[in-house]
Amino acid sequence: MINQTKLYNILTKSSVIASDALDGAVQESKEQHADLAQFLVAKNLASETILYETIATGLKIPFVDLSAIKVRRDILTIVPEPIAQLHHLVAFDKTDQGLKVATLDPDDIQSFEFLEKKVGLPIEVHLATPAGIKSILKQYRKGLRAEFREITAEQVEGAGPENLKQLAEDVPVVRIVDTLLEHAIFESASDIHIEPTEKDTVVRYRIDGILRDVMTLPKKIQSGVVARIKILSNLKIDEHRLPQDGRFKIETDAQRVAFRVSILPVYDGEKVVLRVLNESAQALSLEQLGLQSRPLELLQRNISKPHGIIYVTGPTGSGKTTTLYTVITKLNTASVNISTIEDPIEYRMIRVNQTQVNPKIGLTFAAGLRALLRQDPNIIMVGEIRDMETAEIATHAAMTGHLVLTTLHTNDAVTTLPRLTEMGVPSFLVASTTNLVMAQRLVRKICTHCIESYTLSRTAITNLAKQINIQNILEILEHEGAIASAKQAPETLLFYRGRGCRQCNDTGYKGRIGIYELLEVTAEVSEVILHRATADELQSLAVKQGMLTMLHDGFLKAKAGITTVEEILRVTKE
């Protein structure tokens, strides 16, 4: 979508539409949340071609009429079809000097940079009409249908290993799998699900923690796609009855992405889930994790201690590994020996000795941790505390002069300490070795392209009051300087949300950030642990000592326009 203010200024300077008609259309399009350019065409206030030619002139970029252009197949497929459909962006010509692309959004810099890295040539951006883009998108469909027919014609049920191998190496299947992977990387998906059903195959991506359908493939293509992924992952192509796990990597000049593959037999075939691990992504700094100033200072102070344990807790997919890797990156200097035992190793870290758990040969977390202690480590990372044996070894390591970083599955910070005693770790060990417990969740960030402010309605406030203590939230907001007074009426507070646009796939969200609560084991907390305090007693003491809960941190981020109230309630009230 072209920036609406910029579009209005261009049209005001031109004589294409009368000023009074333009002003009326602007107001009406805002009320209907409609794109102004398409609204003007729909209202017959301007022809599509003349309107977009005028816009192109105002933006000082070339205009292209795509209605009669037949694009060569090799040029068309430079932009994968899902990306072309989602971003209304197509390639229509290519020379040694550059790639010519047509778009409806000249400000879509991210897509242009992606293509420039992919083809290794400068991108020449043209503005086209929606009808022109649509005509080029139809050319994808003709080609895909032909390829699908070719694949299904070759495939038969019960195909042997030789046929499957040949099918997996056919150009159409290779291109379909490449498109699935490429689109997932472009959309920053964390997982790809390829799910067989009775009549077809559904492909879903997990983007910002939420699964979304992205395409449906014909049923008969499934075995070719699965076979192709098995070949890439060095798995048994003729094994259809047992689960298989593998891994493969895609490397280009621009990026290096690993895919962790899990294949599971289900009723209608084999389901494939690929975890996308962008190994070329730069490690976050502690500041980029999204901690408030006081919790950030608390974390920095505790990771600088020479021994003790730091627990990072939360459910699967809450960003615990990212937090641990960020801390290790901060601590990783030539003067320390860092060793890890992980399941799995998600990212390679230079000068960090990383070991992969392998229970089949007896290399469990406990066995690996014992071995690490004989490697003269300063800092140890244990991927997860899963049993009493691992917990005891980790706490003894912390007592004997090592800094231990690990994770645990608990809902909040305070329940971690009773959980350890329930696992069989003596209370005195928990109290004396634990430095810090950091609980976290990931929330979706509001899309910056379509963010808008609003105030809560009385109905929304009533519903909110049933779930949380609103007065307590207001007091925290005042204490942290987010609002002037806790006496302010809730309905006067400004919050933020995303309207939904092409940049965020009409979700209103783009990207994720953490919300946290950090419990430091002070002398007072240590004392109540020794007396086997309950989680409620620990919570009261922690809040009294100034701990911001995840709910508090979330509302501070919602008030700052980073995320929404609905998103905070979604992840904290599960």
Side-chain angles (χ1 to χ4, degrees):
M1 182 187 295
I2 300 167
N3 181 283
Q4 303 293 278
T5 303
K6 191 184 295 184
L7 175 57
Y8 175 76
N9 291 335
I10 290 170
L11 295 177
T12 301
K13 294 175 183 176
S14 73
S15 56
V16 174
I17 302 169
S19 58
D20 55 343
L22 176 60
D23 290 339
V26 168
Q27 185 59 39
E28 197 173 345
S29 65
K30 283 182 179 178
E31 291 171 358
Q32 298 182 23
H33 299 289
D35 174 61
L36 177 58
Q38 294 181 36
F39 186 80
L40 293 170
V41 174
K43 288 289 186 179
N44 294 317
L45 292 173
S47 76
E48 189 173 71
T49 301
I50 292 174
L51 178 64
Y52 279 84
E53 280 182 342
T54 303
I55 296 169
T57 302
L59 295 173
K60 297 181 180 177
I61 61 173
F63 173 80
V64 60
D65 183 358
L66 297 174
S67 56
I69 293 179
K70 172 68 176 175
V71 182
R72 273 176 26 207
R73 190 76 191 162
D74 61 318
I75 295 173
L76 182 69
T77 54
I78 289 173
V79 182
E81 184 193 4
I83 296 174
Q85 292 276 7
L86 181 62
H87 294 270
H88 297 98
L89 171 68
V90 295
F92 65 90
D93 195 13
K94 182 183 177 184
T95 66
D96 293 338
Q97 284 72 45
L99 178 70
K100 294 183 179 181
V101 299
T103 183
L104 297 180
D105 185 4
D107 294 325
D108 190 4
I109 306 300
Q110 182 184 3
S111 298
F112 306 145
E113 288 177 347
F114 162 75
L115 286 177
E116 197 164 66
K117 289 177 181 177
K118 180 181 176 182
V119 300
L121 290 171
I123 301 298
E124 185 180 330
V125 179
H126 293 64
L127 188 68
T129 63
I133 295 287
K134 192 174 181 179
S135 71
I136 301 298
L137 291 176
K138 288 179 181 177
Q139 296 181 30
Y140 280 99
R141 288 297 177 192
K142 293 174 185 174
L144 278 179
R145 286 197 192 101
E147 288 177 359
F148 288 163
R149 282 197 300 271
E150 180 182 339
I151 296 167
T152 54
E154 291 178 3
Q155 183 182 345
V156 293
E157 292 298 325
E162 298 82 7
N163 291 342
L164 277 176
K165 187 173 181 181
Q166 180 183 352
L167 183 62
E169 293 173 350
D170 283 346
V171 171
V173 171
V174 171
R175 197 176 76 78
I176 288 169
V177 173
D178 287 350
T179 298
L180 290 177
L181 301 180
E182 196 171 44
H183 187 208
I185 295 168
F186 180 74
E187 292 296 328
S188 300
S190 61
D191 300 88
I192 306 169
H193 290 239
I194 302 171
E195 304 172 334
T197 65
E198 184 180 357
K199 296 181 179 179
D200 49 33
T201 300
V202 176
V203 180
R204 298 195 288 171
Y205 292 163
R206 188 177 295 280
I207 301 173
D208 294 337
I210 306 295
L211 272 174
R212 304 176 193 164
D213 287 356
V214 291
M215 62 186 81
T216 302
L217 302 174
K219 177 70 174 177
K220 290 186 178 181
I221 288 178
Q222 188 217 346
S223 61
V225 170
V226 174
R228 175 64 183 166
I229 292 171
K230 285 180 177 179
I231 287 175
L232 289 172
S233 312
N234 290 319
L235 300 177
K236 294 179 181 178
I237 196 170
D238 57 340
E239 178 57 75
H240 307 290
R241 297 173 301 171
L242 294 174
Q244 296 191 75
D245 295 318
R247 193 179 180 110
F248 66 93
K249 192 176 292 188
I250 294 176
E251 292 193 48
T252 66
D253 293 337
Q255 58 190 350
R256 185 172 67 256
V257 181
F259 294 87
R260 198 172 74 232
V261 180
S262 172
I263 299 179
L264 179 71
V266 294
Y267 186 80
D268 291 305
E270 291 177 278
K271 177 181 176 180
V272 182
V273 176
L274 301 96
R275 168 62 57 89
V276 185
L277 305 167
N278 190 348
E279 295 185 349
S280 59
Q282 291 186 339
L284 297 176
S285 66
L286 291 179
E287 290 75 15
Q288 289 172 319
L289 288 176
L291 290 155
Q292 305 291 347
S293 57
R294 283 193 296 114
L296 176 61
E297 189 275 328
L298 196 63
L299 178 61
Q300 289 173 327
R301 184 170 71 244
N302 278 277
I303 65 174
S304 65
K305 293 180 179 178
H307 54 81
I309 301 183
I310 294 175
Y311 294 97
V312 180
T313 77
T316 300
S318 59
K320 299 187 299 295
T321 302
T322 299
T323 297
L324 287 180
Y325 280 12
T326 301
V327 170
I328 286 178
T329 301
K330 173 78 173 176
L331 298 173
N332 190 9
T333 65
S335 62
V336 295
N337 175 21
I338 303 177
S339 297
T340 76
I341 178 78
E342 305 175 55
D343 184 24
I345 296 172
E346 293 196 6
Y347 298 101
R348 276 290 298 116
M349 292 182 285
I350 297 172
R351 299 189 68 141
V352 175
N353 309 293
Q354 296 173 266
T355 302
Q356 169 75 51
V357 164
N358 189 347
K360 291 179 182 178
I361 59 172
L363 183 53
T364 61
F365 276 115
L369 184 51
R370 282 198 193 92
L372 292 188
L373 291 172
R374 296 191 288 271
Q375 288 280 311
D376 186 33
N378 301 102
I379 300 166
I380 298 170
M381 184 184 107
V382 184
E384 185 183 342
I385 299 289
R386 293 180 180 173
D387 52 53
M388 183 182 74
E389 186 180 13
T390 308
E392 283 191 333
I393 299 170
T395 50
H396 282 293
M399 276 192 71
T400 54
H402 304 90
L403 180 63
V404 180
L405 309 171
T406 189
T407 72
L408 201 64
H409 286 282
T410 59
N411 289 329
D412 53 30
V414 296
T415 54
T416 300
L417 304 171
R419 175 71 57 83
L420 289 166
T421 56
E422 288 167 8
M423 290 175 72
V425 182
S427 297
F428 76 90
L429 271 181
V430 176
S432 60
T433 60
T434 306
N435 292 345
L436 183 73
V437 182
M438 179 176 179
Q440 65 180 74
R441 297 286 190 282
L442 289 177
V443 295
R444 291 179 291 171
K445 295 195 293 185
I446 298 171
C447 174
T448 56
H449 293 90
C450 59
I451 188 172
E452 64 179 10
S453 61
Y454 74 104
T455 53
L456 295 171
S457 66
R458 289 194 175 276
T459 302
I461 292 169
T462 302
N463 291 333
L464 194 61
K466 295 175 183 177
Q467 302 177 68
I468 62 171
N469 184 333
I470 293 180
Q471 189 55 42
N472 174 252
I473 296 297
L474 292 174
E475 288 169 1
I476 293 296
L477 292 177
E478 180 189 9
H479 184 267
E480 298 296 320
I483 61 174
S485 171
K487 296 179 181 179
Q488 187 172 345
E491 58 267 27
T492 64
L493 292 177
L494 272 183
F495 287 101
Y496 303 86
R497 62 191 173 197
R499 289 190 308 275
C501 64
R502 279 215 319 273
Q503 296 290 337
C504 60
N505 201 22
D506 290 319
T507 63
Y509 298 99
K510 189 76 172 176
R512 288 191 292 176
I513 195 169
I515 57 171
Y516 307 92
E517 62 183 35
L518 275 70
L519 170 63
E520 185 175 33
V521 180
T522 60
E524 293 84 355
V525 174
S526 182
E527 182 67 26
V528 296
I529 293 172
L530 288 172
H531 290 90
R532 302 182 72 87
T534 64
D536 288 341
E537 291 169 338
L538 283 166
Q539 180 78 9
S540 297
L541 177 58
V543 171
K544 184 179 177 182
Q545 291 186 347
M547 181 183 80
L548 281 175
T549 67
M550 281 185 285
L551 185 66
H552 295 155
D553 187 25
F555 267 89
L556 286 168
K557 288 183 169 74
K559 191 68 189 73
I562 297 171
T563 188
T564 63
V565 173
E566 292 78 11
E567 186 70 0
I568 296 304
L569 295 176
R570 180 182 72 85
V571 301
T572 59
K573 296 299 177 183
E574 289 175 327

